[in-house]
Amino acid sequence: MNAEQLRGIQRELQRRREASERQAREAHEEALRLDRERRQFELSVGPVTRIHETARAKVETPQPLPLPRQRERDEQAAFVQAMSDEFDVDSLLETDEELSFRRPGVPPAALQKLRRGGWSLQAQIDLHGMRRDEAREQLGRFLQQCSLRGLRCVRVVHGKGHGSPGKEGILRVKVRRWLVQREEVLAFVQARPAEGGAGALVVLLQG
């Protein structure tokens, strides 16, 4: 083997060594790159601590509020008890042809003022055509709302009862009986012809 051949062998060995080292560097760099990708989130936000199951906050869905069914039933019962069909109203009505009413302590002049339209009508309810129980409930709610709003003078339309058996207005009688039993009612008179006449009442309420 001459010197030229020996140098050729040395160059080949050097080439292979350099290639091996290059492959080792590339493999190391690839491993570092893959590790950086796996730890990218941790490197960007800092150290990450695993949250254990026991450390989780318990979020409870709020339960819907119960519907005031019992209160509604109590109010309904109060309406019925406050306006009985069995109440004897005849002794409390004025002995005029219109059977008006005024509570003790209310001066007779209040009835005259109601008859003349001296109080402005602030609200009204029309019970004409309703069944008895429905009319009683609606009247009770109407009076309650008027009292809460501080209204003083309202009109209650009950109809003349021409379609009733015997041509006698059932609601006309019942409404007077119910109104007398309501504490917020101070007085009432038959409405003037322009306001309904015998088919309606003008009612004075507590202020």
Side-chain angles (χ1 to χ4, degrees):
M1 180 181 297
N2 55 36
E4 185 64 27
Q5 290 175 333
L6 181 59
R7 285 194 294 273
I9 293 173
Q10 289 175 344
R11 286 195 296 271
E12 179 63 22
L13 292 176
Q14 179 67 23
R15 186 186 65 77
R16 291 182 179 181
R17 185 170 55 254
E18 291 175 354
S20 178
E21 290 175 354
R22 185 172 60 253
Q23 290 177 355
R25 286 196 303 271
E26 291 176 353
H28 180 67
E29 292 175 356
E30 179 67 13
L32 291 176
R33 185 184 66 80
L34 293 175
D35 183 63
R36 283 195 300 270
E37 290 182 354
R38 287 193 297 268
R39 300 176 61 244
Q40 183 176 7
F41 178 77
E42 181 179 349
L43 292 174
S44 60
V45 302
V48 177
T49 302
R50 180 181 179 83
I51 299 177
H52 297 289
E53 194 72 22
T54 56
R56 291 184 179 179
K58 295 182 179 181
V59 180
E60 298 182 357
T61 302
Q63 297 295 322
L65 295 176
L67 295 175
R69 301 297 188 190
Q70 185 58 49
R71 186 180 64 185
E72 292 178 357
R73 287 193 290 267
D74 292 342
E75 290 180 353
Q76 178 65 24
F79 286 145
V80 173
Q81 294 173 1
M83 297 189 299
S84 170
D85 288 339
E86 305 302 324
F87 187 80
D88 181 12
V89 67
D90 294 339
S91 61
L92 299 177
L93 296 176
E94 297 288 325
T95 56
D96 55 20
E97 60 181 6
E98 299 174 355
L99 295 179
S100 57
F101 165 78
R102 64 182 176 90
R103 196 170 296 280
V106 176
L111 293 182
Q112 297 298 326
K113 188 175 181 179
L114 283 177
R115 291 192 182 98
R116 294 194 305 265
W119 300 85
S120 298
L121 291 173
Q122 297 173 293
Q124 75 169 16
I125 184 172
D126 189 351
L127 307 176
H128 183 250
M130 293 185 185
R131 294 183 179 275
R132 182 192 62 183
D133 291 341
E134 180 186 5
R136 178 169 51 185
E137 178 181 350
Q138 292 298 323
L139 178 59
R141 293 187 184 279
F142 172 73
L143 294 174
Q144 183 183 50
Q145 292 172 1
C146 291
S147 180
L148 292 175
R149 293 168 57 191
L151 304 186
R152 294 300 310 276
C153 186
V154 299
R155 179 170 55 185
V156 177
V157 180
H158 48 65
K160 298 180 180 179
H162 293 326
S164 303
K167 301 299 182 180
E168 180 182 359
I170 296 177
L171 277 185
R172 181 182 181 185
V173 176
K174 298 293 185 183
V175 166
R176 282 174 166 80
R177 182 169 295 170
W178 297 335
L179 288 174
V180 168
Q181 298 174 69
R182 300 291 301 202
E183 293 183 358
E184 61 266 55
V185 175
L186 297 180
F188 61 76
V189 298
Q190 180 176 296
R192 293 180 298 170
E195 297 172 346
L201 295 173
V202 178
V203 184
L204 180 64
L205 303 176
Q206 293 182 2

